[in-house]
């Protein structure tokens, strides 16, 4: 069975391990900043995977959301 998230998960694992190796002995604030940026990148990737990226689908999604808000 093929898992479409496997490339993303392996990339995340490689990124985290590389980041940890690069930050050995670094000041705490630099480590915190690096991990905050890494977490932000993961959040952006997750949001992009949830919401439609094709323009026609994105427009339909926003129209459906707008119509739903108008009916409330």
């Amino acid at each position: 069975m093929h898992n479409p998230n496997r490339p993303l998960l392996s990339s995340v694992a490689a990124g985290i391990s590389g980041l940890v190796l690069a930050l050995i002995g670094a000041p705490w604030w630099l480590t915190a900043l690096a991990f905050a940026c890494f977490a932000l990148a993961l959040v952006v990737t997750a949001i992009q995977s949830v919401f439609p990226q094709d323009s026609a689908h994105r427009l339909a999604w926003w129209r459906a959301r707008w119509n739903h808000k108008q009916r409330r």
Side-chain angles (χ1 to χ4, degrees), residues 28-47:
W28 70 267
W29 57 268
L30 183 61
T31 305
L33 181 66
F35 276 102
C37 290
F38 194 74
L40 181 63
L42 288 178
V43 168
V44 168
T45 302
I47 288 173

Side-chain angles (χ1 to χ4, degrees), residues 16-32:
I16 289 175
S17 61
L19 187 63
V20 167
L21 288 174
L23 292 175
I24 291 176
W28 70 267
W29 57 268
L30 183 61
T31 305

Side-chain angles (χ1 to χ4, degrees), residues 51-52 55-68:
F51 293 104
S55 294
H57 294 135
R58 187 180 306 149
L59 180 60
W61 185 85
W62 280 109
R63 283 184 179 160
R65 185 174 188 274
W66 177 256
N67 290 335
H68 176 73

